[in-house]
Amino acid sequence: MSDSGGQGRLTVLKTYKLYVGGKFPRSESGRVYEVTDAKSRWLANAPLSSRKDARDAVVAARKAVGGWSGATAYNRGQVLYRVAEMLEGRAEQFAREVADAEGLSRAKAAAAVEAAVDRWVWYAGWTDKIAQVRGGANPVAGPYFNHSVPEPTGVVAVLAPRASSLLGLVSVVAPVIATGNTAVVVASEDRPLPALSLAEVLATSDVPGGVVNMLSGRTAEIAAPLAAHQDVNGIDLTGADAALAKDLEVAAADNLKRVLRPARGAEDWAAEPGTRRMAAFLETKTVWHPTGALGVAGSSY
């Protein structure tokens, strides 16, 4: 829209924010850092998360565990499918952001966004099926039923892939929440904008506040307090380099966190993911129950 003097309008620059507990705060420290495209051209200022931001995200994730893990698997599948619907509706925006972040042509960026939408749908279909794959009835010597049932680990810290700003991100976040965990996600340090925009999609997709919390900034600075946090139950080290991953794994051992180590080579995020990442943050509950109509209530271990 132009004014009466014929001057062109000023561009409204987007202010990117963190996503914590279903809200969009600025970093507690007030810091930001410059994000550039593949040709080193300025794109935006992203929030530079502090250790306090990381702790706040863990608190939000912990509060959300009960409701999200207690929801039916079918309901979680509906929510993940809704994320796919909303992401599809903003495909053009994400294609532009992915193209800028990764130096891709618009056609290749659009294909990456389509693959990310499909990945949400894929995991939505698995929410009520993973228990059949990871659980089962166990043969025992005696008049008992013995069943193994998968349950979510709890709060999982996720270091997003550094190179794949959207498809890789979705590929590590979706399996964590599909199985009933909540997540504190550290976006790609150099390519955080698609992740911060994805948070806006999550906020309008029936995902309860706190189920996914999105932080941006220096990966090592944010990951250190998450790895050592006593209320974090697991950590995915995909976005860490070898030296950082080793240090974080040592810190994670203090409260016996589940650790998913980074791949030794480059990951092919376009390949069918399988169930490995869903199984990485599942516990197994074993339940015994006497056979017969008059048996007393079983016990679990």
Side-chain angles (χ1 to χ4, degrees):
M1 170 174 168
S2 301
D3 60 24
S4 58
Q7 297 176 345
R9 64 181 295 275
L10 294 175
T11 301
V12 179
L13 299 177
K14 182 173 180 178
T15 300
Y16 289 88
K17 296 183 180 180
L18 306 177
Y19 183 56
V20 177
K23 299 179 180 180
F24 292 93
R26 289 180 169 86
S27 172
E28 168 270 340
S29 66
R31 301 178 301 169
V32 297
Y33 71 105
E34 291 189 354
V35 179
T36 59
D37 66 10
K39 296 181 179 179
S40 299
R41 294 174 298 197
W42 182 86
L43 293 174
N45 290 333
L48 188 59
S49 299
S50 67
R51 291 171 175 263
K52 176 66 163 54
D53 293 318
R55 293 194 296 269
D56 289 345
V58 174
V59 170
R62 175 55 60 191
K63 287 181 179 178
V65 166
W68 185 243
S69 64
T72 65
Y74 178 73
N75 177 249
R76 287 198 297 270
Q78 290 179 309
V79 172
L80 265 66
Y81 189 84
R82 179 62 174 165
V83 176
E85 290 180 330
M86 298 300 289
L87 182 57
E88 181 91 60
R90 295 174 61 171
E92 184 175 347
Q93 172 202 340
F94 279 94
R96 183 174 62 255
E97 290 187 341
V98 170
D100 288 340
E102 301 180 25
L104 300 177
S105 67
R106 187 56 60 89
K108 288 184 178 179
V113 174
E114 290 176 358
V117 172
D118 293 345
R119 190 60 44 88
W120 279 113
V121 174
W122 197 86
Y123 279 112
W126 268 103
T127 57
D128 59 356
K129 301 173 182 66
I130 188 64
Q132 300 170 52
V133 175
R134 300 298 299 180
N138 310 310
V140 294
Y144 302 98
F145 294 117
N146 182 270
H147 300 278
S148 292
V149 182
E151 294 188 339
T153 295
V155 176
V156 179
V158 180
L159 309 188
R162 289 169 289 176
S164 184
S165 60
L166 183 64
L167 178 56
L169 171 74
V170 170
S171 298
V172 296
V173 174
V176 168
I177 66 171
T179 49
N181 299 290
T182 60
V184 177
V185 184
V186 181
S188 169
E189 182 174 330
D190 297 325
R191 304 170 178 182
L193 303 188
L196 297 176
S197 290
L198 179 64
E200 297 171 5
V201 170
L202 297 173
T204 55
S205 301
D206 302 327
V207 179
V211 171
V212 178
N213 304 275
M214 196 73 69
L215 305 176
S216 61
R218 310 302 181 206
T219 300
E221 182 180 352
I222 309 169
L226 293 176
H229 203 298
Q230 297 298 295
D231 217 17
V232 174
N233 307 111
I235 185 167
D236 181 345
L237 300 176
T238 296
D241 59 33
L244 178 59
K246 183 177 180 180
D247 291 342
L248 296 177
E249 190 168 356
V250 171
D254 195 42
N255 72 330
L256 303 179
K257 290 179 179 63
R258 284 190 172 270
V259 175
L260 182 59
R261 297 174 177 84
R264 293 184 178 181
E267 295 241 22
D268 181 6
W269 298 111
E272 184 175 304
T275 61
R276 180 177 71 93
R277 289 188 174 275
M278 286 186 287
F281 298 109
L282 284 174
E283 309 296 329
T284 300
K285 177 181 179 181
T286 300
V287 180
W288 294 74
H289 196 290
T291 58
L294 298 179
V296 296
S299 59
S300 61
Y301 300 89

